[in-house]
Every structure is written in C-alpha cells, then in structure tokens.
Amino acid sequence: MSNHIELKGISQSFEINDSKITLFEHLDLSIYQGQSYTITGPSGAGKSSLLMLASGLEQVTSGSSSYIQGSQIGPLSDLRTDSGFIFQQFHLLPELTAINNVALPLKLRGDNQALVKAEAWLNKVGLGHRRDHKPSELSGGEQQRVAIARALVFEPKFIFADEPTGNLDQASANEVANILFDCCLENGAALVLVTHCNELASKAQHTFLLANGQLITKANNTQEVLSC
C-alpha cells in the first residue's frame, strides 16, 4: 500500500467578531504519493485552508486526518519530514545566494552533501548558471524555480503548492508549472496544488472544485475554473 493522506469528514471554521464563519464541512479527501491533485474554486472558499489541513500545518475543527505509511497509521504531524512547500510569495532568504537557499533544508538536516545536491537541483530547474545570484538579482520566474528546487532537494514524498504561478507572467507561469509537474513526477512525489488557473489545473491527474462548502471532483475537460 502506497503512502497517502486521509482526510475524513473534516470541517473548518473560525470566529470573527463573535460570529462563526464556516469554510466547509464534512469533506473527504485522499492524497496518494505519486499522484497530482489541483484544488480550484472562488476566492474565500477555503482552498488554502484545505491545503494547510492536508499538510498537517493546521488542525481541523472536526473530523479525522491521518498519514498512512504502508500498514502504519499515524497523525499528520508525521508528514512534516516528508513534505515540501511552494507558495505564491517565493519566501527565499534575501541574503542567501540561489544555491544556499536551495541547500538550506539539507543543511538544517545536517547533510554534508547539501551544496552538491543543491547544485544538482538548480541544474534540473535550469538555473545552474545563476547559482551565485541572490533573489534580488533573479526574475520572478527564476525565484520560483529556486523555490521549487528548495522544496524538492530533500526528496519529499508530498509537495504542497499554493498559487505557485500567481505572481508570474503567462510565459513564466507555464515554464514553472511544467518544471514543477515534471520534477514531482520524476521524484515520485505527490503534488497538491491550489490554483485559479484553468490551464494549470488541467495538468493534474485529479482536479477538485471547492465552492459553497463542498468539494467536487471535476473532470479536466469540464472544469469550471478561472483562466490564468
């Protein structure tokens, strides 16, 4: 049995000015390593919250969540060492060069091959020639490619991406999306991606629409999501 994430009957709500706001209720979602998933829907529907719940970074209001590794069932907190994240804002450290930004997760794990592996991943995303440049010296598309390399350098089993092409022009967005999907496929990682982009959503094996508190499975040829 492959590693996977199980969310069952989950709900998420919060309070503002003594009023309870419910984003969604009683949702089920299974995410398997090696598969790609996109979550689409209108702004404010709770897409990013669902992504954070699936990654174990936020706790569900109700329902159950688990990380299943073969025959072992554990809490989603066990997923943290097996997951990487990519965001709309690149979150690169401005004082570090591209290679040191990519190497950082490995250095924090005490890997003495961090720089060698980081350089290999920069080459994979086509930025080996920019290894010694800082984020301020890179375009938005280049920064996002560095962020992809950083997320994948320690070979996680699951990658979570929140609007990873939202700050990019169309050409850069297409380039980054292709690199992201190809790298996850090559690495055997699951990719769970939140997007408003119809073209990007269609690249995934599984597409969901989150709207009006419901999570609906969508066929890629009938998606009702916004264009880029």
Side-chain angles (χ1 to χ4, degrees):
M1 184 185 298
S2 63
N3 294 351
H4 65 286
I5 297 163
E6 283 284 353
L7 305 177
K8 292 187 176 181
I10 65 167
S11 302
Q12 186 72 334
S13 61
F14 57 92
E15 291 189 2
I16 296 181
N17 298 326
D18 296 325
S19 296
K20 183 178 180 181
I21 306 296
T22 299
L23 292 176
F24 46 77
E25 292 184 293
H26 312 305
L27 299 188
D28 297 330
L29 180 61
S30 299
I31 299 167
Y32 286 83
Q33 185 181 345
Q35 299 283 304
S36 57
Y37 305 79
T38 50
I39 302 169
T40 68
S43 297
K47 301 184 299 297
S48 294
S49 289
L50 180 56
L51 192 73
M52 293 297 102
L53 293 177
S55 68
L57 289 183
E58 291 185 6
Q59 297 297 313
V60 299
T61 304
S62 63
S64 65
S65 59
S66 55
Y67 178 35
I68 301 170
Q69 303 177 75
S71 60
Q72 296 183 335
I73 301 176
L76 275 187
S77 57
D78 291 349
L79 181 63
R80 290 175 186 170
T81 57
D82 286 341
S83 60
F85 299 85
I86 303 164
F87 299 98
Q88 183 173 352
Q89 306 295 335
F90 315 120
H91 295 306
L92 301 178
L93 294 180
E95 69 275 16
L96 297 184
T97 60
I99 192 169
N100 281 305
N101 264 290
V102 176
L104 185 59
L106 294 176
K107 289 181 176 180
L108 293 174
R109 289 169 168 78
D111 190 330
N112 59 13
Q113 294 295 307
L115 289 174
V116 173
K117 294 176 180 178
E119 184 163 23
W121 268 100
L122 280 177
N123 288 329
K124 283 187 180 183
V125 300
L127 286 179
H129 64 295
R130 303 285 262 163
R131 51 165 285 163
D132 295 322
H133 290 77
K134 293 182 178 180
S136 62
E137 301 171 304
L138 303 173
S139 69
E142 288 172 333
Q143 289 184 64
Q144 194 61 296
R145 282 191 274 163
V146 172
I148 290 171
R150 181 185 59 187
L152 284 159
V153 71
F154 60 95
E155 300 184 352
K157 298 179 174 69
F158 295 84
I159 290 290
F160 299 92
D162 194 358
E163 298 282 4
T165 62
N167 281 337
L168 306 179
D169 61 70
Q170 189 65 59
S172 296
N174 290 337
E175 184 178 63
V176 163
N178 288 334
I179 289 171
L180 180 55
F181 276 89
D182 290 347
C183 285
C184 285
L185 179 64
E186 180 183 340
N187 233 38
L191 174 62
V192 189
L193 186 150
V194 164
T195 184
H196 282 94
C197 178
N198 187 27
E199 183 178 353
L200 180 54
S202 69
K203 294 178 181 292
Q205 294 164 297
H206 310 278
T207 301
F208 297 93
L209 173 66
L210 180 60
N212 300 317
Q214 301 296 313
L215 189 65
I216 304 167
T217 302
K218 303 293 289 183
N220 277 337
N221 60 355
T222 61
Q223 292 174 74
E224 299 173 3
V225 296
L226 303 178
S227 60
C228 300

